[in-house]
Amino acid sequence: MFKIGVMASGGGSNFKAIIERIGEGDLEAQCKFLITNNGTCGAVEHAKEYGIPVYHISGKTHPDVAAYEAALLEVLDKYDVDLLILAGYMKALPVCIVRRMENRILNIHPSLLPKYGGKGFWGIHVHEAVIAAHEKESGPTVHLVSEEIDQGKILAQVKVPVLEGDTPEVLAARVLEQEHDLYWKTIRDYYNEMGH
């Protein structure tokens, strides 16, 4: 049994999918906390439903950068998790966190990295760009988080067809369906590869 912490900003569907797999016994992990920069997001509701402690840490709660970083580090120190999982977390992580948890932070991105990654490529913007470029396939990528956005080592990818007539929303839904299956399996496999 290993420990994870999750960071999310949005609806939290990937977070929920991971929690459900833990509940079903497929993923032998405990989720110790949810950190969010958006206190009213869907992920917070899922955390409450499952009795997971929620920490709202953002520029609003901690306008001072040093205090903001200290608050994040405090949660990490308190729970000492094995892996930190970004599930739709819409803010770049402070370098101090990336360094503290080096090679232990995973993120899921809705394109086949290295394509359509980096600054400006998030959420629906990724799918708009994929369709505009007439790509034949897209799909989610799970990667390690490094100091450069979306540049960390790729752990797993699943290819998803881009169909004629796809809107960004339709493609997003098809990719998201694969994300829910890919993410928990990659978390499990990566933890095992770490020599546990």
Side-chain angles (χ1 to χ4, degrees):
M1 188 73 75
F2 62 99
K3 296 182 292 187
I4 64 169
V6 176
M7 298 180 77
S9 307
S13 71
N14 267 308
F15 172 48
K16 187 170 191 275
I18 289 166
I19 301 303
E20 285 175 349
R21 289 298 183 168
I22 289 173
E24 288 162 16
D26 294 324
L27 184 61
E28 292 184 5
Q30 288 175 304
C31 183
K32 293 302 212 179
F33 62 78
L34 170 73
I35 290 175
T36 184
N37 59 339
N38 174 1
T40 59
C41 69
V44 171
E45 296 308 311
H46 297 316
K48 285 179 179 164
E49 191 185 325
Y50 287 94
I52 294 164
V54 175
Y55 294 87
H56 178 200
I57 302 172
S58 68
K60 277 188 183 146
T61 61
H62 297 76
D64 175 66
V65 172
Y68 166 73
E69 292 184 354
L72 291 173
L73 288 167
E74 196 179 317
V75 176
L76 290 176
D77 287 344
K78 179 176 179 181
Y79 293 99
D80 190 29
V81 292
D82 297 293
L83 295 174
L84 185 58
I85 307 300
L86 306 188
Y89 188 67
M90 294 302 178
K91 194 168 162 34
L93 283 187
V95 169
C96 64
I97 302 291
V98 177
R99 290 181 180 166
R100 167 70 64 94
M101 299 286 294
E102 193 177 2
N103 293 327
R104 292 193 295 147
I105 308 174
L106 277 64
N107 183 44
I108 193 156
H109 184 79
S111 73
L112 296 172
L113 291 175
K115 286 184 169 183
Y116 309 106
K119 204 167 170 55
F121 284 114
W122 55 273
I124 204 73
H125 303 298
V126 171
H127 306 295
E128 288 167 353
V130 166
I131 289 171
H134 305 291
E135 295 283 358
K136 293 279 181 274
E137 55 188 19
S138 189
T141 299
V142 179
H143 65 96
L144 292 178
V145 173
S146 64
E147 291 179 31
E148 293 79 38
I149 292 178
D150 298 331
Q151 298 284 311
K153 180 184 173 190
I154 290 171
L155 300 177
Q157 291 182 319
V158 172
K159 289 181 176 171
V160 172
V162 180
L163 305 176
E164 211 168 311
D166 271 353
T167 63
E169 291 75 15
V170 167
L171 179 59
R174 192 179 306 124
V175 171
L176 189 63
E177 203 176 307
Q178 295 301 320
E179 287 181 33
H180 291 167
D181 206 35
L182 178 69
Y183 210 0
W184 75 268
K185 287 177 180 167
T186 308
I187 292 164
R188 177 196 64 193
D189 294 349
Y190 182 67
Y191 179 76
N192 290 334
E193 276 168 29
M194 284 163 68
H196 298 283

